[in-house]
Amino acid sequence: MTSIQPSATQPSAISSSAVEWHAALDEHPARLASMRSYSAVAKGDLDEWLTVYAPDALLEDPVGPSMFDEEGTGHRGHEGIAAFWRLAIEPIDSFRFVIRDSFANGSTCANVGTIHTAFADGGSTYTDLVMVYTVDAEGLVTSMRAFWEPERTMATYAAGS
């Protein structure tokens, strides 16, 4: 995988050097919320991450049944989203987000990118995906739907040395 260099001007909503933004730089509310979400995950800050989400938000990552959500119904509210964090995010040693494009209109944006996950044992994976964020009038995420295929991600697994 070739590395894409970050833009010379990172948006102010990005507070982590582990987020590379190569997409539109306008301050669309859903786009800003997505940037804040990526930054909080990259920093490993659950409390900050929850401030991005409305109290009754729905998170589907990935959309449909998966190892994180056998029923495929998603994770609802701060309690459900925090449970997802403990299951899917907390065990990861580090994340790197590379966002190549972002399409925003109305209260929604769809971001196209790759997430590199590194595990404590040195192993890693790459996930190519589309993440769709919908926000309310206050700019809080009411819905986040990540479209990716677990089997494709697992096929990228590289063991640590």
Side-chain angles (χ1 to χ4, degrees), residues 5-87:
Q5 294 303 311
S7 65
T9 306
Q10 286 288 68
S12 61
I14 295 176
S15 60
S16 170
S17 62
V19 179
E20 295 181 22
W21 191 266
H22 307 280
L25 294 172
D26 69 302
E27 296 193 354
H28 185 279
R31 191 173 282 137
L32 292 172
S34 73
M35 293 174 186
R36 291 180 25 244
S37 177
Y38 303 144
S39 293
V41 170
K43 293 186 294 187
D45 191 331
L46 171 60
D47 292 334
E48 181 180 330
W49 195 51
L50 290 175
T51 68
V52 176
Y53 288 85
D56 62 344
L58 177 64
L59 180 134
E60 298 173 86
D61 187 357
V63 170
S66 73
M67 64 286 226
F68 305 127
D69 180 12
E70 289 183 16
E71 305 268 325
T73 57
H75 308 273
R76 173 81 56 193
H78 284 188
E79 185 176 314
I81 292 169
F84 172 81
W85 176 282
R86 288 187 293 278
L87 179 66

Side-chain angles (χ1 to χ4, degrees), residues 45-138:
D45 191 331
L46 171 60
D47 292 334
E48 181 180 330
W49 195 51
L50 290 175
T51 68
V52 176
Y53 288 85
D56 62 344
L58 177 64
L59 180 134
E60 298 173 86
D61 187 357
V63 170
S66 73
M67 64 286 226
F68 305 127
D69 180 12
E70 289 183 16
E71 305 268 325
T73 57
H75 308 273
R76 173 81 56 193
H78 284 188
E79 185 176 314
I81 292 169
F84 172 81
W85 176 282
R86 288 187 293 278
L87 179 66
I89 296 173
E90 194 171 274
I92 305 301
D93 194 52
S94 68
F95 289 89
R96 179 158 210 78
F97 295 85
V98 178
I99 306 303
R100 292 184 300 279
D101 215 342
S102 180
F103 304 91
N105 193 35
S107 62
T108 303
C109 81
N111 297 332
V112 179
T114 301
I115 301 173
H116 175 249
T117 53
F119 305 97
D121 66 2
S124 65
T125 61
Y126 289 90
T127 303
D128 291 320
L129 70 169
V130 176
M131 296 156 284
V132 180
Y133 290 81
T134 303
V135 297
D136 61 17
E138 286 77 45

